Amino acid sequence: EVEADALLTVVFDHVKEAFDEFPLSASGSTSRQRNAMPGASGEASMLDEIAHRYGINPLDVLKMPLRRAFALQRTIRLATIPEYKLLEPDSLRAIKSEYLTNLNNGAV
């Protein structure tokens, strides 16, 4: 039960930080700390990318589940930006690292 509570905490923290994890620019870079205000928010960029690429009304894009919108945004960038690399969120890397450490130590 304690492990389940800890996992839920990590999952909820990840969901809260989801908007900090998607790319803010078409260059494929991400940034949690910015010294200047971007020309458009990450949410607006995602909306524009999806609506423009697929010819969807922006209001319909807003009704999409975030999982679908993020998947479409990644697909667009993989198809249109040479050398685009997907970034794995730090929180998921930490979970995987902890799991592999436990596995190596025989705890799993």
Side-chain angles (χ1 to χ4, degrees):
E1 183 175 297
V2 173
E3 289 180 23
D5 290 341
L7 179 60
L8 284 175
T9 299
V10 171
V11 170
F12 285 128
D13 287 345
H14 174 71
V15 170
K16 285 190 286 186
E17 295 177 359
F19 285 104
D20 290 334
E21 293 175 353
F22 68 72
L24 294 175
S25 69
S27 69
S29 64
T30 61
S31 174
R32 288 182 183 258
Q33 296 178 340
R34 296 175 287 282
N35 293 329
M37 179 183 282
S41 70
E43 296 90 340
S45 295
M46 180 176 64
L47 175 67
D48 179 67
E49 284 181 69
I50 294 170
H52 180 265
R53 173 80 175 185
Y54 297 107
I56 300 172
N57 182 320
L59 294 175
D60 291 332
V61 176
L62 289 171
K63 296 175 187 173
M64 284 183 181
L66 282 178
R67 173 181 264 174
R68 181 180 302 154
F70 287 150
L72 287 173
Q73 186 181 36
R74 286 190 302 272
T75 301
I76 291 166
R77 291 180 179 194
L78 285 169
T80 60
I81 301 171
E83 306 294 325
Y84 183 75
K85 293 182 177 25
L86 295 174
L87 298 175
E88 185 175 56
D90 290 339
S91 55
L92 291 180
R93 276 197 308 271
I95 292 169
K96 288 165 63 174
S97 177
E98 183 176 342
Y99 175 76
L100 291 174
T101 298
N102 288 334
L103 188 64
N104 287 335
N105 294 333
V108 176

